[in-house]
Amino acid sequence: MGRNTQLGDIEFDWSELTTMGIVASIRQEGDEAAESMSIRYYISSAKLTAKELLESTRAHWSIEVQLHWKLDVGMSEDECRIRRDEAGENFAAIRHIALNLLNADKTFKAGIKRKQKRAGRNNVYLSQVLTGQGAS
């Protein structure tokens, strides 16, 4: 890579960098024409073909979407109106911890909302979740 790049001194900042990529995404619902396109930039230390880069970005966003769905539907994150100072970020971290603990529990086969309700009503189950006793 040459030094005359607009990305700065990339060789110095990321000495292990082997792949740079751009992924353009268009979202279309039904028969309606897509109205916008998003462009994302990726860097990686793994040597990836264009197809491998696309597959890895799709896998990443699939996981990201699933996480946000669980946080929104299971924990009503979008309804939270906490905005003071860092309180919103603090509660988001607590929700992530709670989600991870509830997901790890395998003793009660249920969704996040049902596991939350059970933990709120049953101190034995709550203790089990918090100590990781039901994790596999």
Side-chain angles (χ1 to χ4, degrees):
M1 278 187 224
R3 297 259 182 226
N4 295 331
T5 176
Q6 292 183 347
L7 297 174
D9 196 355
I10 207 160
E11 290 173 309
F12 177 75
D13 292 336
W14 294 293
S15 61
E16 301 297 316
L17 178 67
T18 58
T19 301
M20 292 177 58
I22 300 172
V23 176
S25 302
I26 300 171
R27 182 173 180 222
Q28 182 176 346
E29 292 185 35
D31 294 333
E32 294 184 28
E35 293 183 16
S36 65
M37 177 173 63
S38 66
I39 297 176
R40 295 185 182 97
Y41 302 88
Y42 294 91
I43 60 172
S44 176
S45 59
K47 188 169 183 160
L48 303 171
T49 65
K51 184 177 180 181
E52 291 169 331
L53 175 67
L54 180 61
E55 289 170 356
S56 65
T57 61
R58 283 182 175 161
H60 167 80
W61 285 105
S62 173
I63 292 166
E64 188 76 15
V65 166
Q66 290 173 15
L67 172 65
H68 286 291
W69 187 85
K70 285 182 179 181
L71 287 168
D72 185 32
V73 173
M75 303 196 137
S76 305
E77 186 175 58
D78 286 350
E79 294 174 21
C80 181
R81 297 294 170 238
I82 298 170
R83 301 283 188 263
R84 181 181 241 178
D85 300 324
E86 288 83 31
E89 291 174 16
N90 293 340
F91 270 86
I94 291 168
R95 275 191 292 275
H96 283 214
I97 292 167
L99 181 65
N100 289 335
L101 289 170
L102 290 168
N103 278 331
D105 178 66
K106 304 300 180 200
T107 62
F108 181 51
K109 305 267 188 245
I112 296 301
K113 277 191 169 195
R114 284 189 59 208
K115 286 183 174 185
Q116 274 184 284
K117 284 183 182 180
R118 185 171 189 187
R121 296 176 180 157
N122 182 329
N123 286 339
V124 173
Y125 179 68
L126 174 62
S127 295
Q128 179 180 310
V129 169
L130 291 175
T131 58
Q133 291 178 355
S136 59

